[in-house]
Amino acid sequence: MEWSAGRTQVNSWNEWDPLRHVIVGRATDCHIPPNEPALEAKVPEDSDMRGMWGKRPQESIDRGNELLDGFAALLEARGIRVDRPDPIDFSQPVTTPDFHTGSQFGCMPPRDVLLTVGHEMLEATMSYRCRWFEYLCYRPLMQRYFEEDPRFRHEAAPKPRLTDADYHKDYLSEKIGVEKRLQWAADKHFVTTEEEPLFDAADVLRFGRDLVVQHGFTTNQKGIEWLRRHFPDHRVHAVNFPGDPYPIHIDATFTPLRPGLILNNPQRRLPEGQREMFHRNGWEIVDAAQPAHNSPPPLCYSSTWLSMNVLVLDPKTVCVEKSEVYQAEQMDRLGMEVIPVELRDAYAFGGGLHCCTADVYREGGCEDYFP
Ligand code: ABU
């Protein structure tokens, strides 16, 4: 069925086909959540955010929203339909029979929560206690899509219990050191155990019939197996990136730009043994350009590699953060038209241009790129 802006259709099979409809997150009421096992393992050891929690400064929220609204307006000006989540009160604690934590996180970034595969949008299990209820911010949209698109499948993965059994205790120490973290990453010893299936949607990249999923802090092997059983018509490939001492989410590590071309973070190279399916099918994996910044902005959990967290609008057009000049130059050399988008002051809310969006509709169908 052809795309029409007036009629909701959910359809997106990869990261690069022409984008027509997308969700953009909001910074409203975003909180720095209290310490909890999965978060403690992720916050860099030298970060001034360790031990800090509470609502983020209002002026940073206002600035974040200004940039996110600007990005939404830019996409709309290009004819892309943009929907936004409905924030809930993130100061509320999360209490279940199994755990309690003092506050929530926010409704940034949607890419972590929602995985669109074809006509389906799947709510991820998530692996942070503070993000347990985040899916609620997207429920008004899910209800609307369900009413308007008879093909839309709204799915939710089993909510995890997130007891202490979900986390390796040896990660819950103030000082581990990067060397030990890198050894653990090479041994695929991550903070999450195999107690139950866990995955964040941002650990999944879509390549038509193939889903490439990062095994790391936020997605365990059972989560990948759950995805394999949930999508029986797909081939699901587990990958890991041993150069990353804090491995969460694949989209600042491995970035497909168009059929046949992927950017890979040069500090987090895909191991030789996992490249075979790409090489066999003529795909090129090139090192991403260096970030333009030496450190992330204040109160930001993410690394400087949000430089490569770009949003592909179609196989020839890509949104790159405005200050990431080296990444923009590389895109230009790779034959992409670059749209600069100012977003750095919103990074602290959970990520870059890919993170802060979730696909609803891209043109095209389910192709086999790795026959
Ligand atoms: N959500 C992507 C963050 C990855 C990184 O910190 O490099």
Side-chain angles (χ1 to χ4, degrees):
M1 205 186 294
E2 239 174 66
W3 163 252
S4 140
R7 190 180 59 227
T8 298
Q9 295 176 72
V10 175
N11 180 75
S12 178
W13 297 94
N14 58 47
E15 309 290 333
W16 55 79
D17 270 343
L19 183 68
R20 299 282 180 235
H21 183 181
V22 72
I23 298 171
V24 173
R26 291 186 196 274
T28 308
D29 196 37
C30 191
H31 277 59
I32 297 174
N35 217 356
E36 60 165 292
L39 195 62
E40 190 173 331
K42 161 63 186 158
V43 180
E45 290 179 22
D46 55 359
S47 169
D48 54 3
M49 293 178 76
R50 285 203 158 233
M52 180 187 276
W53 70 287
K55 189 176 167 186
R56 286 179 177 268
Q58 188 58 45
E59 60 277 18
S60 72
I61 290 178
D62 293 343
R63 172 71 177 146
N65 271 335
E66 182 187 331
L67 295 177
L68 289 161
D69 292 351
F71 184 33
L74 179 150
L75 295 170
E76 282 173 337
R78 297 184 69 93
I80 296 168
R81 176 174 152 191
V82 178
D83 287 336
R84 312 296 298 275
D86 279 9
I88 57 174
D89 175 1
F90 300 119
S91 71
Q92 294 178 94
V94 182
T95 305
T96 75
D98 293 308
F99 69 81
H100 169 85
T101 189
S103 90
Q104 303 184 42
F105 189 85
C107 52
M108 258 288 287
R111 190 71 65 173
D112 296 359
V113 183
L114 299 172
L115 174 63
T116 309
V117 176
H119 309 310
E120 170 173 334
M121 293 180 89
L122 170 65
E123 294 165 5
T125 67
M126 310 306 286
S127 57
Y128 288 10
R129 292 170 177 169
C130 58
R131 305 191 72 178
W132 211 83
F133 282 122
E134 211 166 301
Y135 67 94
L136 290 175
C137 306
Y138 304 98
R139 281 290 170 94
L141 292 176
M142 297 302 108
Q143 278 174 248
R144 184 164 150 209
Y145 301 164
F146 189 79
E147 276 158 25
E148 294 180 7
D149 178 1
R151 287 190 309 187
F152 173 48
R153 287 170 58 92
H154 178 197
E155 295 273 1
K159 291 304 284 177
R161 297 187 68 168
L162 300 185
T163 67
D164 289 348
D166 274 301
Y167 309 103
H168 283 122
K169 288 194 179 47
D170 48 6
Y171 262 101
L172 312 180
S173 143
E174 282 284 299
K175 284 272 169 244
I176 297 169
V178 170
E179 211 172 301
K180 192 183 247 184
R181 283 175 179 272
L182 288 171
Q183 187 55 55
W184 283 350
D187 295 342
K188 300 185 197 169
H189 172 67
F190 303 116
V191 63
T192 36
T193 66
E194 292 297 332
E195 175 72 8
E196 58 184 338
L198 297 176
F199 67 95
D200 277 12
D203 279 317
V204 185
L205 289 173
R206 302 150 311 139
F207 294 76
R209 265 206 69 190
D210 293 83
L211 301 174
V212 172
V213 189
Q214 173 174 235
H215 177 204
F217 280 8
T218 36
T219 295
N220 62 11
Q221 291 183 80
K222 274 200 181 139
I224 298 173
E225 179 56 24
W226 189 90
L227 286 163
R228 193 170 278 129
R229 294 184 199 185
H230 184 73
F231 293 114
D233 298 332
H234 280 73
R235 294 174 294 235
V236 175
H237 310 269
V239 293
N240 66 298
F241 300 92
D244 188 357
Y246 299 95
I248 75 160
H249 304 157
I250 196 168
D251 54 358
T253 297
F254 208 58
T255 301
L257 296 180
R258 58 181 183 239
L261 183 61
I262 302 172
L263 289 187
N264 190 186
N265 184 319
Q267 289 180 1
R268 308 172 184 170
R269 289 208 175 94
L270 185 67
E272 247 348 281
Q274 296 176 35
R275 291 175 174 240
E276 210 245 321
M277 79 177 221
F278 299 104
H279 288 335
R280 194 163 26 90
N281 289 281
W283 283 61
E284 205 185 347
I285 301 176
V286 300
D287 279 356
Q290 286 297 311
H293 303 273
N294 293 324
S295 55
L299 303 183
C300 179
Y301 293 110
S302 304
S303 75
T304 54
W305 289 100
L306 288 181
S307 53
M308 56 181 294
N309 188 270
V310 297
L311 184 70
V312 176
L313 298 190
D314 64 54
K316 290 187 174 156
T317 315
V318 62
C319 294
V320 179
E321 207 288 325
K322 196 174 170 187
S323 66
E324 295 296 348
V325 287
Y326 306 128
Q327 192 52 80
E329 282 165 16
Q330 181 187 34
M331 292 294 186
D332 187 53
R333 285 196 301 276
L334 291 169
M336 305 287 289
E337 183 201 339
V338 175
I339 302 168
V341 180
E342 194 177 2
L343 200 79
R344 186 170 155 83
D345 291 345
Y347 279 4
F349 299 95
L353 293 160
H354 189 258
C355 298
C356 79
T357 57
D359 288 15
V360 181
Y361 190 97
R362 285 184 189 266
E363 284 178 7
C366 183
E367 304 290 332
D368 188 349
Y369 300 98
F370 304 100

